[in-house]
Amino acid sequence: MAKKVHRYDKLDNTAHLFPVITGENMSNVYRVAAVLKDEIDAELLQQALDTVLPYFDVFAVRMRKGLFWHYFETNHKTAPRVTEENAYPCRYINPFDNHDYMFRVTYYKKRINLEVFHALTDGNGALMFLKELVYQYLRYRYPKLLEQTEDRLRIDTSLDRDDSYLRNYKQAAQKKYKTEPAVLVTGEKMPPYQLGVIHGRIELADIKAAAARYSVTINHYLVGTFIWAVYKCFGQSRQGKPIRVCVPVNLRPYFDSDTMKNFFVVVSATFRPTKASYTFEEVLGEVAQSLREQITKDNLENLMSYNVSNEMNPWLRAVPLAIKSFVMRCIYNSSARANTTTITNLGVVKVAEPYREYIEEFHAVLSTSKGQNIKGAICTYEDKLVVTISSCVKETVVQKAFFRQLAQDGCHVSIETNGVYYESLSEM
């Protein structure tokens, strides 16, 4: 019998914060999901997970607490059990109830859900794992696929465990982040652990045409429209207070990286109302300009270098974990209200040719966090773009304003919810 390899691995720069601030009330878990054409066979999905997991060292780990940092070590336990979804998305993952793993796989009707604790990887890394899980499941489900494909990982699937933050770190940079309080989306909260989810499905051609009409990218258009919705619902009475949206940027294309670990930085799309009223075009123009100025390789490198500089400081590295954790929590809590929301765009999901006809769509769901009671995720597959808005607030005024603006701009939007908002959305 081959000897099992046991590895120890440091958390990447982004991952250090998550175990410090995570708990039952703030999970830092996100979901990527694939919707197939046919109902899911749970037994075959479990077999697929059992087959695929050993290849992915980034997922096959458990977290340990060291003297100076948290760290990962190889988890030799059997894969977590695949279960039918029976609760709200993005709940806290208790490793003791999950074979010590920090991800879960569930299914519902035709949908396969992969939920991931953010310390493991970002959305791009999770999508790589999800696609291989889906490929393997489809090979088990439809034996004819075995005649068209090889029963192994795709050659373009990365298993790279490189810490691309450290490899691309150049020098410490001046601090870039803002701590000024932003406009927040408030209202009556849902019960604990409840999360309202709305999927808005849009033809890609419609959203391209709408963005082109304003001479902006699709990402600019959607982020700008969301800020417009927040401005209409909460910002008009708070003149001078910024509406600030965190926009994660995948660094892999900028630094030639294929890492499965986290590798992104966050820029801020900001709109600050300073007069009595604005048009949609004015808001969108400011937001698009804000993003254009920040999403350059030089600026992204500066943001990344500032983030890594603290980790590289020899004095800070020698501080015990308990003290580091206390300081990180204090810094996080003091800056939590500096951002209105987060909107992440996972881009276009590309699937290998033999499997495309079996897959309907991909989408993503973000959990809420302190100060950010509403968040958005964007995912594109084939000719369909899905905008998913998750919230722990009962009211849906922002969601309605957002989708109404899309409709006004010629986008035909199909709405689906997880049931929390049925009564509220009847007015949309």
Side-chain angles (χ1 to χ4, degrees), residues 168-227:
N168 291 284
Y169 170 73
K170 299 297 184 185
Q171 60 183 7
Q174 187 178 359
K175 182 178 178 181
K176 299 286 184 177
Y177 297 113
K178 306 290 185 182
T179 55
E180 176 191 7
V183 173
L184 302 182
V185 174
T186 56
E188 184 181 355
K189 289 283 192 75
M190 296 177 184
Y193 317 123
Q194 189 167 314
L195 186 70
V197 177
I198 299 174
H199 301 296
R201 296 182 174 88
I202 310 160
E203 292 296 318
L204 186 57
D206 288 352
I207 206 79
K208 281 182 176 178
R213 192 174 305 122
Y214 299 103
S215 301
V216 297
T217 68
I218 290 175
N219 205 45
H220 294 165
Y221 174 72
L222 291 171
V223 173
T225 303
F226 200 93
I227 287 180

Side-chain angles (χ1 to χ4, degrees), residues 212-278:
R213 192 174 305 122
Y214 299 103
S215 301
V216 297
T217 68
I218 290 175
N219 205 45
H220 294 165
Y221 174 72
L222 291 171
V223 173
T225 303
F226 200 93
I227 287 180
W228 166 254
V230 174
Y231 166 70
K232 292 288 287 182
C233 300
F234 291 92
Q236 289 179 303
S237 61
R238 302 178 191 181
Q239 193 168 312
K241 202 170 186 179
I243 301 171
R244 187 176 293 116
V245 174
C246 295
V247 180
V249 179
N250 176 22
L251 293 177
R252 293 169 181 82
Y254 294 92
F255 296 95
D256 192 27
S257 170
D258 288 319
T259 184
M260 278 289 294
K261 291 187 174 185
N262 287 297
F263 194 40
F264 69 96
V265 293
V266 174
V267 300
S268 296
T270 303
F271 170 69
R272 185 189 299 272
T274 57
K275 61 181 183 180
S277 64
Y278 289 82

Side-chain angles (χ1 to χ4, degrees), residues 286-299:
E286 284 197 29
V287 171
Q289 184 61 28
S290 171
L291 289 173
R292 287 191 196 100
E293 292 173 354
Q294 294 177 77
I295 304 180
T296 66
K297 184 173 181 179
D298 286 345
N299 186 58

Side-chain angles (χ1 to χ4, degrees), residues 46-293:
Q46 183 69 61
Q47 290 180 32
L49 178 59
D50 294 342
T51 300
V52 168
L53 178 59
Y55 289 99
F56 286 87
D57 293 337
V58 167
F59 281 82
V61 295
R62 59 181 176 176
M63 187 176 291
R64 293 298 200 188
K65 186 181 291 187
L67 180 60
F68 300 104
W69 298 104
H70 289 90
Y71 66 93
F72 295 131
E73 71 173 1
T74 304
N75 188 347
H76 293 298
K77 294 184 179 180
T78 56
R81 299 307 303 167
V82 170
T83 59
E84 186 173 15
E85 184 177 14
N86 58 8
Y88 292 99
C90 304
R91 293 170 295 114
Y92 172 70
I93 297 175
N94 187 337
F96 300 109
D97 299 332
N98 197 48
H99 296 190
D100 288 340
Y101 289 99
M102 290 170 285
F103 71 93
R104 69 166 66 95
V105 176
T106 63
Y107 67 94
Y108 181 73
K109 294 184 178 180
K110 301 177 182 180
R111 187 178 70 237
I112 297 174
N113 308 309
L114 171 64
E115 297 192 336
V116 182
F117 180 42
H118 215 322
L120 287 181
T121 185
D122 55 27
N124 288 278
L127 275 173
M128 190 77 73
F129 183 80
L130 175 64
K131 286 197 292 184
E132 284 296 345
L133 177 63
V134 170
Y135 293 163
Q136 188 65 41
Y137 168 79
L138 290 174
R139 286 195 287 267
Y140 288 149
R141 183 76 168 79
Y142 307 101
K144 70 176 184 179
L145 278 173
L146 287 175
E147 301 172 8
Q148 305 170 342
T149 64
E150 295 186 50
D151 191 14
R152 59 176 178 80
L153 299 189
R154 292 271 306 170
I155 195 169
D156 56 351
T157 294
S158 173
L159 300 176
D160 191 350
R161 297 163 56 241
D162 174 54
D163 188 333
S164 292
Y165 289 112
L166 294 181
R167 182 166 59 83
N168 291 284
Y169 170 73
K170 299 297 184 185
Q171 60 183 7
Q174 187 178 359
K175 182 178 178 181
K176 299 286 184 177
Y177 297 113
K178 306 290 185 182
T179 55
E180 176 191 7
V183 173
L184 302 182
V185 174
T186 56
E188 184 181 355
K189 289 283 192 75
M190 296 177 184
Y193 317 123
Q194 189 167 314
L195 186 70
V197 177
I198 299 174
H199 301 296
R201 296 182 174 88
I202 310 160
E203 292 296 318
L204 186 57
D206 288 352
I207 206 79
K208 281 182 176 178
R213 192 174 305 122
Y214 299 103
S215 301
V216 297
T217 68
I218 290 175
N219 205 45
H220 294 165
Y221 174 72
L222 291 171
V223 173
T225 303
F226 200 93
I227 287 180
W228 166 254
V230 174
Y231 166 70
K232 292 288 287 182
C233 300
F234 291 92
Q236 289 179 303
S237 61
R238 302 178 191 181
Q239 193 168 312
K241 202 170 186 179
I243 301 171
R244 187 176 293 116
V245 174
C246 295
V247 180
V249 179
N250 176 22
L251 293 177
R252 293 169 181 82
Y254 294 92
F255 296 95
D256 192 27
S257 170
D258 288 319
T259 184
M260 278 289 294
K261 291 187 174 185
N262 287 297
F263 194 40
F264 69 96
V265 293
V266 174
V267 300
S268 296
T270 303
F271 170 69
R272 185 189 299 272
T274 57
K275 61 181 183 180
S277 64
Y278 289 82
T279 64
F280 173 70
E281 290 83 353
E282 288 176 314
V283 173
L284 180 58
E286 284 197 29
V287 171
Q289 184 61 28
S290 171
L291 289 173
R292 287 191 196 100
E293 292 173 354

